[in-house]
Amino acid sequence: MITVAHEALIDLIVDPAGHVDPRLGGAGFNATRAVARLGWPVAFLGRLSGDRFGQLLRADLDRHGVKIAVEAPSTAPTTLAMVDLDPAGVPSYHFYLDGTSATAVGPGDAVLPEGTTALHAGSLCLVMEPVGTSTEHMMVNAPDSVTVMLDPNCRPTAIASRQDYLDRLMRILQRADVVKVSTEDLAYLYPGQDAEAVAAELLAQGPACVIVTDGGAPVRALAGGRQIRADVPAVPVVDTVGAGDAFGGAFLTWWIGNGLSRSDLGDAEAVRGATQAAILASVVTTTRPGAEPPWAHELAGHDGWRWLPPGDPPG
């Protein structure tokens, strides 16, 4: 089972004409649904509100067959994000976090469910409290059998102290196995520095694999002493909301679904296969509005997904 430890929230998507479209979202919610739609067992480890928005988020996860790891609802309101789309469909974000449900994950809640073989974590859950401290502790103390994927998904407007945030990431990097970062993340973490040099620096902190995405430009990955480059197919982009989350969810689904573990991340060709599968899932996500990752049947027959074992995954 893959466990996703992130936030679930409501995206208030504002298009260039000023129309507001509320959608279920959040990095963790999106990545969880990506895994579920690709047919792998998945748990969502995040606090949901008991309000109407929280009920809608919970109902959607239930429909996808997701295990809700933190069952008790919060009395706090659901976390909100305003997503402002530019004419090219590229989002900018403003968050309403203080006193909301996504923050309310304490040490007693951040416990990996039994059967977890991979953990996907990051985003806003690393900048809020108490969920930030709880998530960090869970990641750095993950059992040796668990493949840990970090997606910082940096949101500068939500970060109160850049230095504290960087210190937290450095501690997590010592245990993380896979780090997925965008060029926007790198521009915040290492302003003015070359992306390839920074990726190598991140790799030196402990992970076995570092993946750098750059919109429609080729994805670059460092693993097994090699640099991997994978092209991104050109498609008509509606918006890019949730594309990175779909990438992370699909990467881990392909990886675990092929019986691979953290010890296999030195295999550059296996990393290439997972990266190509993740690109395929993220590209499909950009062709429709909002964070709507693909279902397994939509990827069946595509070269990038051909190695995933057919049929139902093991429980």
Side-chain angles (χ1 to χ4, degrees):
M1 180 169 64
I2 296 171
T3 294
V4 178
H6 281 279
E7 73 282 353
L9 47 75
I10 298 297
D11 284 324
L12 302 175
I13 300 178
V14 185
D15 69 18
H19 301 126
V20 180
D21 182 11
R23 288 181 174 265
L24 309 182
F29 182 81
N30 299 336
T32 300
R33 293 163 84 239
V35 175
R37 291 185 178 191
L38 294 174
W40 203 256
V42 58
F44 173 72
L45 201 161
R47 181 75 73 184
L48 300 173
S49 175
D51 65 14
R52 181 59 173 154
F53 281 147
Q55 293 170 29
L56 291 172
L57 290 162
R58 185 181 296 269
D60 190 278
L61 293 174
D62 285 341
R63 282 194 296 271
H64 281 79
V66 173
K67 174 182 176 62
I68 308 294
V70 183
E71 294 184 0
S74 172
T75 57
T78 295
T79 307
L80 300 176
M82 189 179 76
V83 185
D84 191 2
L85 298 178
D86 70 13
V90 178
S92 59
Y93 296 86
H94 183 81
F95 299 98
Y96 300 87
L97 306 178
D98 292 346
T100 63
S101 56
T103 68
V105 177
D109 303 311
V111 178
L112 289 176
E114 185 176 354
T116 296
T117 54
L119 170 63
H120 183 289
S123 196
L124 294 176
C125 283
L126 299 182
V127 303
M128 303 181 291
E129 292 297 345
V131 64
T133 297
S134 301
T135 302
E136 177 190 339
H137 184 269
M138 180 176 61
M139 295 178 76
V140 300
N141 292 287
D144 290 343
S145 59
V146 175
T147 301
V148 176
M149 184 175 196
L150 168 66
D151 181 357
N153 197 22
C154 302
R155 302 298 185 215
T157 59
I159 297 172
S161 169
R162 182 175 179 276
Q163 189 58 55
D164 288 347
Y165 178 70
L166 294 176
D167 290 345
R168 170 164 285 165
L169 289 184
M170 291 303 107
R171 293 191 294 269
I172 293 172
L173 282 170
Q174 296 177 44
R175 172 58 182 87
D177 300 299
V178 183
V179 179
K180 179 261 174 192
V181 288
S182 66
T183 51
E184 290 88 352
D185 293 332
L186 295 181
Y188 177 74
L189 298 173
Y190 297 90
Q193 298 190 36
D194 177 75
E196 290 188 12
V198 170
E201 184 173 337
L202 290 174
L203 193 71
Q205 300 301 315
C209 175
V210 173
I211 303 165
V212 181
T213 62
D214 187 13
V219 174
R220 291 162 289 175
L222 299 178
R226 291 174 55 188
Q227 184 175 93
I228 300 157
R229 175 187 168 106
D231 291 332
V232 177
V235 297
V237 174
V238 175
D239 67 50
T240 63
V241 177
D245 307 322
F247 185 105
F251 185 99
L252 279 183
T253 302
W254 191 98
W255 196 260
I256 301 301
N258 280 284
L260 302 172
S261 67
R262 59 189 302 220
S263 63
D264 299 302
L265 285 164
D267 184 339
E269 287 309 306
V271 171
R272 181 187 301 277
T275 300
Q276 291 172 330
I279 289 171
L280 179 59
S282 63
V283 164
V284 172
T285 304
T286 67
T287 64
R288 42 216 191 189
E292 291 294 340
W295 297 85
H297 68 83
E298 295 180 89
L299 304 187
H302 287 271
D303 285 347
W305 201 253
R306 67 177 181 266
W307 297 285
L308 190 70
D312 293 333

